Amino acid sequence: MSDTTPTTPPGPDPPLTSPAIGRDEWVARHLERRLPPRLGLIERRIRAVPWWAWLVLFVGAACMLPVFADSGYVRRAYGFDIVLYMLLALGLNVVVGWGGLLDLGYVAFYGVGAYAYALLDSPHYGIHMWAVLSIPLVVVIGAVVGLLLGLPSRRLSGDYLAIVTLFFLQLFQTLATNGDQFLFGAGNVTGGANGLLNVDPIDFFGKEIAVQHNGVFAVGYYFIALGVFALVFVALRFVNESRTGRAWRSQREDPLAAEVMGMPVNWLKLMSFAFGAAVAALTGTLFASLNASVFPLSFYFVTLITVYTMVILGGQGSQWGVVLGAILISVLLELLRDTGNARGVFYVILAAGLVVAFKLSRRLPIIAAAVIGFGFAAHAIADAVDHSWVAGTSKTWTSDWVIIPEHLASWVPAVTYVGLIASVLALTLLRGWVRAVALVPILYLAAFVWENVMLAKPEPTRYIVIGVILISLMVLRPNGLLGEKRVEIV
């Protein structure tokens, strides 16, 4: 009788979310409940495609933008500027997503790169260095500045680190704004509030890259920025898969446990600061050379918040996630500049929110029809009472549905805006059909506030919309669109 061990007949491979070596069973079960089966399958199939294949496909598709867009505005706003934000998001992801450090001074490194390039390639000091020499030098300068910032911050974490890095950002803004007067007795260094002008464009051994051609944004800069993005993405990918990348993630999850295992936690923090600062400085050179000028206002807190939103929305720790976040936020911010585009974006988001909330249940068409009917009824009643209530100047496809008064009383914007916020908060306390019924007038109130209050102030409205989207996504998907899935005990 032979001593043999029965073998299990081969069968289908277990799903990617099932328990496996190195995967916690609780986390696996949690992931199975996070997404519907079909969406989970699609996500797993997408993640199974090699990263380099996605990169080649993405860069190839991005190269086609100038072919389909003749407008210089589109090439600049939806091409070059988006690539800049993708680079900034990749650099911030090193510090926040991989290193786990709350760096609120990140935009200062972006400014350091822009000002350093402007000083090396402009008439300010009469230095006109070749870009092939000045850009690597600026990257080194950015990394060194990041390393210096990390030295006093290496033993800090959380709120304390955020305070120190925020102070660094404020210090940079102060020096940049007043650097024409008191910067260590060196005279006019930064140009002050007037900035540095006549910055040289990027050149290769004396051959300059044209910024404009026949008054239209030239595509040369776009392709250069796209090439830089591909190189940075690949380099950071290799770093993330190296021992350094694994050590970053370890100290991000538990610095004490990582230090006990012999990892140089303080040195890892310094490296993450240096890598992130180098990418930001590199991005600053592209920004300064294209605009031919550098001003302090370009590196204020709103830029930091925008880049942080991209990283959080896309998913901290995921390279493709932060790239997707940069694209979505950049496109939305540009669309919301125009009133017509902003109106369409609002109602698309409203409809998408209903689909996400009610999926394909029977409540979805009922609530949608109720909202539409409620709007026409309210508009008809207002018109019958006083025609001036619906005689607003905005004659659009929504003017027969949303009440737009000819003269909006001064108290209406504040009351309706605060009332909308209070109604949405109260809605979270309701359940079942009571919530569905209450949702109908609240959605119409949102449309009223949008048409009469928000569209009149497009600049703050852009960031309010982004904030609402971010909050909603964090409720539905706390790790972001493509973020690393983790279960935290709270």
Side-chain angles (χ1 to χ4, degrees):
M1 182 176 179
S2 60
D3 185 13
T4 59
T5 303
T7 59
T8 303
D13 294 333
L16 296 180
T17 54
S18 63
I21 297 176
R23 182 181 290 117
D24 185 82
E25 182 175 357
W26 179 37
V27 176
R29 295 290 177 254
H30 174 79
L31 296 182
E32 290 178 354
R33 297 191 297 268
R34 291 297 297 172
L35 289 174
R38 291 185 179 180
L39 291 180
L41 178 61
I42 293 174
E43 183 181 21
R44 293 194 296 271
R45 294 288 174 83
I46 291 176
R47 290 180 181 273
V49 178
W51 66 269
W52 54 265
W54 284 117
L55 181 62
V56 172
L57 181 63
F58 176 77
V59 174
C63 288
M64 299 302 293
L65 175 66
V67 177
F68 298 100
D70 296 331
S71 170
Y73 166 75
V74 174
R75 293 178 178 180
R76 171 65 191 269
Y78 293 95
F80 182 83
D81 289 348
I82 289 181
V83 177
L84 287 189
Y85 275 120
M86 290 192 300
L87 285 169
L88 288 174
L90 286 174
L92 184 61
N93 185 55
V94 174
V95 186
V96 177
W98 295 345
L101 306 175
L102 186 56
D103 181 9
L104 296 183
Y106 177 74
V107 172
F109 303 125
Y110 181 39
V112 167
Y115 272 99
Y117 180 85
L119 293 174
L120 293 174
D121 289 271
S122 73
H124 189 72
Y125 286 128
I127 304 175
H128 298 277
M129 188 180 295
W130 283 346
V132 293
L133 299 177
S134 61
I135 291 179
L137 180 59
V138 170
V139 173
V140 173
I141 292 173
V144 171
V145 174
L147 192 65
L148 293 177
L149 176 62
L151 285 175
S153 309
R154 64 187 185 277
R155 296 185 181 276
L156 302 177
S157 61
D159 298 339
Y160 301 101
L161 178 62
I163 292 173
V164 171
T165 53
L166 183 61
F167 169 77
F168 172 70
L169 175 60
Q170 187 62 42
L171 177 64
F172 168 80
Q173 293 171 352
T174 302
L175 293 178
T177 305
N178 301 280
D180 59 335
Q181 300 175 8
F182 66 87
L183 194 58
F184 311 120
N188 184 1
V189 177
T190 65
N194 296 322
L196 298 176
L197 307 177
N198 300 319
V199 179
D200 298 338
I202 292 178
D203 67 291
F204 291 98
F205 303 103
K207 183 177 178 58
E208 294 184 351
I209 304 300
V211 177
Q212 290 187 347
H213 180 69
N214 295 329
V216 180
F217 175 72
V219 297
Y221 260 92
Y222 173 66
F223 288 126
I224 289 176
L226 204 57
V228 171
F229 161 77
L231 291 176
V232 170
F233 189 97
V234 173
L236 292 180
R237 180 77 186 193
F238 286 145
V239 172
N240 185 40
E241 294 181 350
S242 66
R243 294 178 58 187
T244 300
R246 294 192 294 271
W248 273 338
R249 294 191 295 275
S250 298
Q251 69 95 21
R252 174 194 67 190
E253 299 298 333
D254 195 330
L256 182 59
E259 191 169 9
V260 170
M261 295 176 64
M263 297 181 185
V265 173
N266 292 335
W267 176 243
L268 289 172
K269 291 183 179 181
L270 293 178
M271 289 184 65
S272 63
F273 270 114
F275 271 81
V279 175
L282 175 61
T283 310
T285 63
L286 298 174
F287 174 81
S289 60
L290 175 69
N291 291 280
S293 59
V294 182
F295 300 99
L297 287 175
S298 301
F299 313 103
Y300 268 50
F301 198 70
V302 63
T303 305
L304 176 69
I305 296 300
T306 302
V307 180
Y308 256 97
T309 302
M310 295 171 178
V311 173
I312 296 173
L313 179 69
Q316 301 179 41
S318 169
Q319 281 187 281
W320 281 119
V322 300
V323 169
L324 178 61
I327 295 173
L328 293 177
I329 295 298
S330 300
V331 170
L332 279 175
L333 288 176
E334 284 300 322
L335 289 176
L336 291 171
R337 289 182 187 273
D338 179 74
T339 302
N341 293 334
R343 180 176 288 108
V345 169
F346 171 77
Y347 289 105
V348 167
I349 293 175
L350 208 62
L354 285 176
V355 173
V356 171
F358 296 99
K359 297 181 175 59
L360 298 178
S361 66
R362 62 179 182 178
R363 292 186 180 185
L364 177 61
I366 295 176
I367 292 178
V371 173
I372 295 174
F374 184 90
F376 282 116
H379 189 279
I381 294 173
D383 189 15
V385 174
D386 189 342
H387 180 70
S388 64
W389 290 3
V390 295
T393 56
S394 178
K395 298 300 180 182
T396 64
W397 56 276
T398 61
S399 57
D400 293 331
W401 180 66
V402 182
I403 297 175
I404 303 177
E406 184 177 7
H407 301 289
L408 197 65
S410 59
W411 57 269
V412 172
V415 171
T416 54
Y417 185 77
V418 174
L420 176 62
I421 296 176
S423 301
V424 171
L425 295 177
L427 191 66
T428 61
L429 303 177
L430 304 178
R431 294 291 182 271
W433 278 102
V434 177
R435 172 187 287 186
V437 171
L439 185 62
V440 173
I442 291 177
L443 288 177
Y444 188 74
L445 177 61
F448 177 87
V449 172
W450 179 261
E451 295 287 346
N452 293 277
V453 181
M454 307 300 289
L455 287 181
K457 299 179 179 179
E459 191 60 27
T461 296
R462 296 194 305 153
Y463 294 98
I464 292 175
V465 171
I466 297 300
V468 171
I469 293 175
L470 187 62
I471 293 173
S472 303
L473 181 67
M474 290 301 98
V475 173
L476 299 173
R477 197 173 175 87
N479 296 315
L481 293 174
L482 300 178
E484 297 177 349
K485 298 179 177 62
R486 290 176 290 170
V487 177
E488 299 178 358
I489 301 177
V490 293

